[in-house]
Amino acid sequence: MAPKKAIVTKVGEEKELKAVVLADSFDDLFQPLALNKPRCLLPLCNVPMIEYTLEFLAASGVAETIIICKSHAEKLQAYIRQSKWRRSSTPMK
């Protein structure tokens, strides 16, 4: 079962859940497909795979996510900037 939105450590004290996503791989398994874009932006049912990860994290109550990407990082940044995850109404930072 997924944790609630915050973890209670002491009476009345809550901590926000944070996540680190490794959105890059250091192998060549997807090379024909991943030559021009990061693997996390490859579509699965016409939706980039990173969207599934961010949706599951938001549904689990994660408030802040750090995405680590080495190759094609500028393309991932551009995608996140234009996606719904940059809006102020999103459940994550």
Side-chain angles (χ1 to χ4, degrees):
M1 184 185 284
K4 302 292 181 201
K5 279 201 171 204
I7 298 173
V8 178
T9 56
K10 294 181 182 176
V11 177
E13 183 181 326
E14 296 181 352
K15 288 188 175 182
E16 288 185 336
L17 293 177
K18 297 179 182 181
V20 176
V21 176
L22 298 175
D24 200 354
S25 66
F26 302 98
D27 57 25
D28 298 332
L29 293 176
F30 286 85
Q31 268 315 313
L33 299 172
L35 283 175
N36 298 323
K37 66 170 74 173
R39 186 186 295 187
C40 64
L41 291 181
L42 293 177
L44 179 65
C45 297
N46 294 325
V47 177
M49 289 190 276
I50 192 76
E51 281 292 323
Y52 293 104
T53 303
L54 296 175
E55 285 287 343
F56 289 133
L57 289 172
S60 297
V62 173
E64 185 175 346
T65 303
I66 299 170
I67 302 173
I68 298 174
C69 181
K70 179 185 160 208
S71 65
H72 309 294
E74 64 284 344
K75 291 184 180 181
L76 181 59
Q77 285 177 339
Y79 176 78
I80 295 295
R81 281 190 193 114
Q82 61 89 27
S83 73
K84 68 179 182 179
W85 300 106
R86 269 310 259 206
R87 296 186 197 133
S88 59
S89 61
T90 186
M92 274 198 284
K93 296 178 188 174

